Amino acid sequence: MKKTCKEIFVILLISILIGLIANALSPNGIALIRDDSERFLIDSSKTKSDNFKNQRGKLNKAGFYQPVNIPVETAKILFDDGILFVDGREPAEFQQGHIQGAINIDYKIFKDKTKEEKNEIMKDIRKDQAVVSYCGSDSCEISIDNAYEMAKVGFDDMKIYLGGYKEWKQFGYPIEE
Amino acid sequence: MNFLSNKYFLIAIRVIVGGIFIYASFDKLMNQEMFSKAIYNYKFLPGTFINIFAIIIPYLELIAGIFLISGIFVRGSSLIISILLVLFIIALGQAYARGLDIDCACFELKNELENANQKSDILLRIIEDMLLLTASIIIYIKSKIILNKEIQQ
């Protein structure tokens, strides 16, 4: 058993050393501590929902503009302004009911496409305007992930409506079923 | 069950299990950001540790796989692989039990058919991992017996 423990220790040590060194040297290396603290954060200092409307995400290290989380009030203002809503759920769920005028881009399929294919799928959407990403409800993270996938291909003003279809419907805002 | 102690049978399962682990590590090494997100989707580990795991696990799989095939540190490698497989089975099992969609970290209410499809996908992966775990435990136990015999001789 002592010999096995020694073997495990050696394998662990080699893996940790190579892993850390390779990660530090690789251009695709990741941070040692994953930071999801802002994933669901809605900036409460912006008390007026109008402020969110014009709030643009920061350009991050990965070279794309960070999507911004918005509350339902801002989502409604953007909706009234005619801003496009993108529903990231699967087509069957989308067809059961969605925010009026929204288009369906299924995250699970979209995420595996190449950059060119993503641009092709989104070719009819203006890049100089805001786009709102949403999904079923706040227990679903497709809205966040889909917005990041879109931001990475050049949509610089992505908004994430975390409350999603469920909250929108509860507020009695326009839907299509 | 005599064939389990057959030297060539043991070499064959070492190559198969080692090969699967080497293959599985490549995909993760190519895109660690995606692997980190995949771990996140299981909602199983505290966020702080996710990236450390995403950095080390692929190399652990790769090195244990190489050692297993080449016959170096066979017992240590097979034990590490067994521990990893137990962790994978627990992660998949809790996702299955909670009805979590590991493609997107969602607990969405879906229609029954889609839900059943996702659940059977997870179940299939649990069964695969259990088969691999059995093979890995056989390697661990049998290589100990062979080792003891060699010492006695």
Side-chain angles (χ1 to χ4, degrees), chain A residues 1 3-4 6-8 10-12 14-16 18-20 22-23 26 28-36 39-40 89-90 92-93 96 107-108 111-112 135-137 139-142 145 152, chain B residues 30 32-34 36-37 40-41 43 47-52 54-56 59-61 63-64 67 72-77 79-80 83 101 103-111 114 118 140 147:
Chain A
M1 196 64 207
K3 188 171 172 280
T4 312
K6 227 184 247 176
E7 290 180 9
I8 290 177
V10 173
I11 297 170
L12 266 176
I14 298 173
S15 305
I16 292 170
I18 299 181
L20 291 177
N23 184 63
S26 161
N28 300 322
I30 53 176
L32 289 183
I33 307 289
R34 188 183 162 95
D35 183 12
D36 287 308
R39 198 169 159 83
F40 300 98
R89 296 173 297 165
E90 290 166 32
E93 290 173 89
Q96 280 169 17
Y107 166 70
K108 283 191 201 166
K111 74 178 161 73
D112 295 326
C135 58
S137 69
S139 72
C140 135
E141 297 182 24
I142 285 178
D145 296 327
K152 283 177 196 165
Chain B
M30 296 301 272
Q32 282 174 312
E33 181 69 50
M34 261 171 77
S36 164
K37 180 67 177 59
Y40 175 86
N41 285 354
K43 303 260 174 187
T48 325
F49 300 122
I50 288 177
N51 277 9
I52 303 273
I55 290 166
I56 292 164
Y59 284 99
L60 210 52
E61 290 181 347
I63 290 162
F67 279 0
I72 309 166
F73 294 172
V74 171
R75 304 202 65 219
S77 312
L79 200 58
I80 284 187
I83 294 167
D101 183 347
D103 275 336
C104 59
C106 319
F107 293 102
E108 280 293 84
L109 288 170
K110 297 225 165 74
N111 64 48
E114 280 171 57
Q118 269 153 22
Y140 178 77
L147 198 74

Side-chain angles (χ1 to χ4, degrees), chain A residues 38-39 41 55-60 64-70 131-133 143-152 155-161:
Chain A
E38 288 180 12
R39 198 169 159 83
L41 193 75
Q55 187 197 353
R56 295 284 288 260
K58 284 175 260 167
L59 184 63
N60 64 18
F64 63 88
Y65 286 89
Q66 200 89 13
V68 174
N69 295 339
I70 56 168
V131 175
V132 179
S133 168
S143 54
I144 306 172
D145 296 327
N146 225 11
Y148 274 83
E149 291 301 325
M150 291 168 189
K152 283 177 196 165
F155 286 84
D156 294 344
D157 194 7
M158 288 303 305
K159 312 278 195 221
I160 302 166
Y161 170 39

